[in-house]
Amino acid sequence: MANQAFPRPQLTGQPVSQKTTVEPKTRPLPLMPSSSGEVADRLFGFAMLTCAVAILGLLVLIVYELVGRSQLSWHAFGWKFFAGRDWNPVEEHFGALPFIYGTLVSSLLALIIAVPLAVGVAVFTTEMCPKWLRGPLSFTTELLAAIPSVIYGLWAIFVLVPLLRQYVQPFLARTLGWTGLFEGPPYGIGMLAAGIILAIMIVPIISSITREVLMVVPQHQREGVLALGATRWEMIRIGVLRNARAGILGGVILGLGRALGETMAVTMVIGNRPEIARSLFAPGYTMASVIANEFSEATGDVYLSALIEIGLALFLVTIVVNALARLMVWSVTRGLPARAHV
Amino acid sequence: MSERSSNSVAQSSLLRISLWRRFTDCFATSVAALTVVLVLLPLGAIFAYLVYRGIGSINWAFLTQTPKPVGEAGGGMANAIGGSVLILGIASLLGVPFGIGAGIYLAEYGRNRFGDIIRFTSDVLNGVPSIVIGIVAYSVVVLRQKHFSAVAGGFALAIMMVPTITRTTEEMLLLVPQSIREAAYGLGVPRWRTTLSITLRTATSGVITGVMLAFARVAGETAPLLFTAFGNQYWNLNVNQSTAALPLQIFTYAISPFDEWHRQAWAGALVLIVLIVGAVAAVRIAVRRGALAGANN
């Protein structure tokens, strides 16, 4: 196409890549593949645009379907749906509070366990360990992310839960029973098991984002702190972590988003009982797992609609959480790193 | 560098403080090392246990037979393995072209506000819980068809593949130097041809890696299949029928009370992990060897 411009010197000053669309009306030169190339270009551009718009369309479709199909439940219960504690499919009375509670508590528990571990791993791999160990270590942590959720669940049922029941829960009840968080019969299955398996699952995402963020902290920041006589740990604390905290927080929130929506592993170990209990030993239920368990057996339109409304709520929460996390990570990795320590 | 600095401080007169500081430094390092051990422990435990429980149960019957009724020993997951391949095939057929197309758009045409919107949408879509995607596939496909089907399952998984493929394709295409595109334009190659035969081809290995990442991510997905593909105890290769899938079968067997089914769940899990890791590794090796056309950049 660029050859078309060749006999017309006044156009040669323009960048090459723009010339393809410069002159639609000139007669094609004998050597050129006629205007069919231009039609093909248009068609190709349009096809690619369609693909891109399809992504937008998918999101619209998700919102449309979720909102549309949850109307029945919305009209029946309104805001009280999210405050009601009663989940009774027989009398068609639905309240989602036990599920919201279960989702929040299991995710927060997972964060409490996972964040120190993930940040520790990230700091160790980027700042402390010898160079040859770096690649293998980050690869193995990423491997944790490749294990399917259902396999985590399987492992949790047959290894983690018996372990909790026999050793960990009796120990916790003896030492920390007075807090009220660790009392009741040690079933193994319950909120604690769900929190632990979730923690194992979200460590890779938090640590990989933290590592990414730590790596964009400028090298002279580290050198400067070291030059003032700091030890390595002081250098990491003052020169690295303080600069990267917005990004690390973003990674943590991204992990939270993952934990909120996680379904299979949690469904397999949380016990699936719609109750609100203070003790972490007690069984619970999450928003995602109630959908997984009851959706295909939901008889009655209101029942189905109530489940879809839970799905809509879960969708909205994860979108807000994810958008927030992306913005925070971007503020560190894309913006000026120096800005973060103000 | 850090050792040197702490050593020099140690030799100075500030010994009392520096002892404390050196202790803190050592302590922090050991804590960090400990976290690594704590994180790798479950990973090792899961793989070891998977192999330990799974390997004894994998035999020819497991790979070639359909499930036996409860109480009878033997039987296998052949239908689930076949069903998974079918569903993943449908998902790739639907998802890969759209993902790559959108990636091309973002890299070649989308350096503007609209492109940013698409980019953000795709990130958001990536974060949507898989169970929610299942609901959408249910209401779009299953409710219209009036029955569960492999297509519905494939549709759900395709939605999950698109964002990953889009973003990696874009990233890989942006790595291709601008001068290569300009050289092609200079030779009179139209833009669409340049994109397909020059840019995309140069980035093939990266794009394929992205596709495989997306594939590996959805291959183990269970939640979106629960009420779309639904599962099936028999062989089924009809895309309009409910179909078994490996993750679904593992889930059903894992929460059942039967020891024989637990055994099979472990075997299924081992097969699933081997399939996922194997698929990714095979493509990585093929790409590295340049066995795929255009991969030699």
Side-chain angles (χ1 to χ4, degrees):
Chain A
M1 239 356 112
N3 291 9
Q4 267 179 329
F6 189 62
R8 302 176 56 171
Q10 70 267 31
L11 280 175
T12 47
Q14 298 195 356
V16 184
S17 54
Q18 285 186 5
K19 279 182 189 168
T20 48
T21 52
V22 161
E23 32 185 346
K25 280 178 188 159
T26 47
R27 228 168 353 120
L29 293 170
L31 276 174
M32 290 311 301
S34 78
S35 62
S36 69
E38 224 154 78
V39 175
D41 259 357
R42 287 261 174 81
L43 278 178
F44 181 73
F46 185 72
M48 297 304 109
L49 179 67
T50 314
C51 293
V53 172
I55 290 188
L56 213 59
L58 274 180
L59 198 69
V60 173
L61 180 76
I62 292 174
V63 175
Y64 174 80
E65 291 289 346
L66 288 177
V67 171
R69 300 217 186 263
S70 61
Q71 283 305 308
L72 211 54
S73 156
W74 176 250
H75 285 306
F77 309 113
W79 287 109
K80 269 191 273 177
F81 182 73
F82 300 106
R85 298 174 71 146
D86 189 28
W87 185 260
N88 191 338
V90 181
E91 288 171 25
E92 297 217 317
H93 200 272
F94 301 103
L97 195 61
F99 311 113
I100 298 170
Y101 175 83
T103 299
L104 287 181
V105 170
S106 60
S107 303
L108 287 181
L109 190 60
L111 278 190
I112 291 171
I113 302 170
V115 169
L117 291 178
V119 173
V121 168
V123 166
F124 188 80
T125 37
T126 49
E127 311 288 337
M128 290 172 174
C129 79
K131 268 217 171 88
W132 56 266
L133 201 60
R134 234 174 250 186
L137 262 187
S138 44
F139 173 76
T140 6
T141 349
E142 307 289 300
L143 212 58
L144 269 172
I147 300 176
S149 165
V150 69
I151 293 185
Y152 276 112
L154 183 68
W155 181 77
I157 287 182
F158 292 106
V159 181
L160 184 66
V161 166
L163 218 62
L164 285 179
R165 187 169 46 218
Q166 275 180 347
Y167 303 105
V168 181
Q169 289 191 337
F171 173 76
L172 282 175
R174 263 201 318 275
T175 51
L176 292 167
W178 51 271
T179 55
L181 291 174
F182 306 101
E183 52 183 24
Y187 295 120
I189 275 182
M191 205 62 99
L192 186 66
I196 293 176
I197 199 71
L198 271 179
I200 299 177
M201 296 176 74
I202 62 173
V203 159
I205 178 155
I206 301 179
S207 85
S208 77
I209 299 230
T210 305
R211 202 165 51 229
E212 221 170 87
V213 170
L214 293 186
M215 275 183 328
V216 297
V217 173
Q219 196 60 31
H220 58 76
Q221 205 91 308
R222 296 186 177 85
E223 287 162 4
V225 181
L226 280 180
L228 289 173
T231 62
R232 183 164 66 181
W233 166 243
E234 285 162 346
M235 177 270 282
I236 292 168
R237 192 164 54 85
I238 301 165
V240 181
L241 288 180
R242 200 167 287 180
N243 278 315
R245 61 190 168 193
I248 295 175
L249 193 59
V252 170
I253 297 177
L254 215 54
L256 176 67
R258 184 64 57 85
L260 291 173
E262 183 46 56
T263 315
M264 298 320 293
V266 175
T267 307
M268 289 159 93
V269 295
I270 200 168
N272 299 329
R273 206 189 290 164
E275 281 169 11
I276 297 179
R278 185 171 172 200
S279 170
L280 294 177
F281 291 178
Y285 220 154
T286 69
M287 297 162 87
S289 48
V290 70
I291 301 173
N293 277 328
E294 302 187 4
F295 198 85
S296 53
E297 289 153 18
T299 48
D301 293 339
V302 182
Y303 193 5
L304 199 65
S305 180
L307 286 171
I308 295 179
E309 191 173 349
I310 292 181
L312 177 64
L314 190 60
F315 171 76
L316 293 178
V317 169
T318 44
I319 282 198
V320 170
V321 165
N322 275 312
L324 202 67
R326 296 275 169 205
L327 286 178
M328 296 186 97
V329 176
W330 277 0
S331 77
V332 177
T333 52
R334 288 205 176 169
L336 299 165
R339 226 177 34 192
H341 80 157
V342 177
Chain B
M1 193 189 300
S2 48
E3 282 95 322
R4 209 191 314 154
S5 68
S6 49
N7 281 344
S8 63
V9 172
Q11 285 152 12
S12 76
S13 58
L14 297 161
L15 195 66
R16 201 154 53 93
I17 307 169
S18 85
L19 253 180
W20 168 245
R21 287 170 61 197
R22 277 172 69 187
F23 168 74
T24 324
D25 186 46
C26 273
F27 182 71
T29 310
S30 355
V31 167
L34 185 72
T35 61
V36 174
V37 174
L38 281 178
V39 166
L40 293 187
L41 210 64
L43 180 74
I46 290 173
F47 271 104
Y49 210 72
L50 200 56
V51 174
Y52 163 67
R53 287 291 300 264
I55 203 103
S57 304
I58 294 183
N59 48 34
W60 192 240
F62 179 81
L63 295 172
T64 53
Q65 291 182 3
T66 55
K68 290 260 168 63
V70 179
E72 275 180 53
M77 286 196 181
N79 59 335
I81 297 170
S84 264
V85 171
L86 178 70
I87 293 169
L88 286 170
I90 295 171
S92 308
L93 227 57
L94 290 173
V96 172
F98 272 104
I100 292 184
I104 290 176
Y105 178 83
L106 288 182
E108 306 290 323
Y109 303 85
R111 316 269 92 206
N112 49 34
R113 194 77 179 271
F114 182 68
D116 283 338
I117 294 177
I118 300 289
R119 242 166 246 123
F120 188 74
T121 315
S122 138
D123 278 353
V124 166
L125 206 57
N126 206 9
V128 176
S130 56
I131 190 87
V132 173
I133 305 251
I135 295 181
V136 173
Y138 174 85
S139 60
V140 171
V141 184
V142 177
L143 281 183
R144 307 244 148 90
Q145 276 191 323
K146 305 258 191 277
H147 52 77
F148 300 111
S149 68
V151 175
F155 178 72
L157 296 188
I159 297 179
M160 303 190 64
M161 286 178 86
V162 167
T164 316
I165 299 178
T166 301
R167 295 311 302 272
T168 36
T169 304
E170 185 201 358
E171 259 167 51
M172 293 305 148
L173 290 181
L174 287 179
L175 288 181
V176 176
Q178 194 61 29
S179 56
I180 292 186
R181 295 187 182 92
E182 282 170 2
Y185 296 147
L187 290 169
V189 181
R191 193 170 178 183
W192 67 273
R193 199 68 209 275
T194 309
T195 307
L196 285 183
S197 317
I198 312 289
T199 325
L200 192 60
R201 196 142 179 200
T202 315
T204 305
S205 64
V207 173
I208 290 179
T209 310
V211 170
M212 286 321 294
L213 279 179
F215 184 84
R217 187 184 156 208
V218 300
E221 276 296 344
T222 319
L225 299 180
L226 284 169
F227 30 85
T228 51
F230 194 69
N232 192 334
Q233 289 294 94
Y234 305 100
W235 264 109
N236 170 48
L237 291 176
N238 181 349
V239 294
N240 282 320
Q241 290 291 317
S242 54
T243 309
L246 204 44
L248 270 184
Q249 200 89 341
I250 295 169
F251 174 61
T252 320
Y253 280 11
I255 60 172
S256 78
F258 313 114
D259 276 347
E260 171 67 14
W261 280 15
H262 294 163
R263 198 179 57 77
Q264 297 219 356
W266 283 105
L270 185 60
V271 171
L272 183 62
I273 264 287
V274 167
L275 283 184
I276 292 174
V277 174
V280 174
V283 170
R284 284 259 163 98
I285 291 167
V287 167
R288 198 164 295 161
R289 293 248 175 96
L292 296 154
N296 47 349
N297 49 337

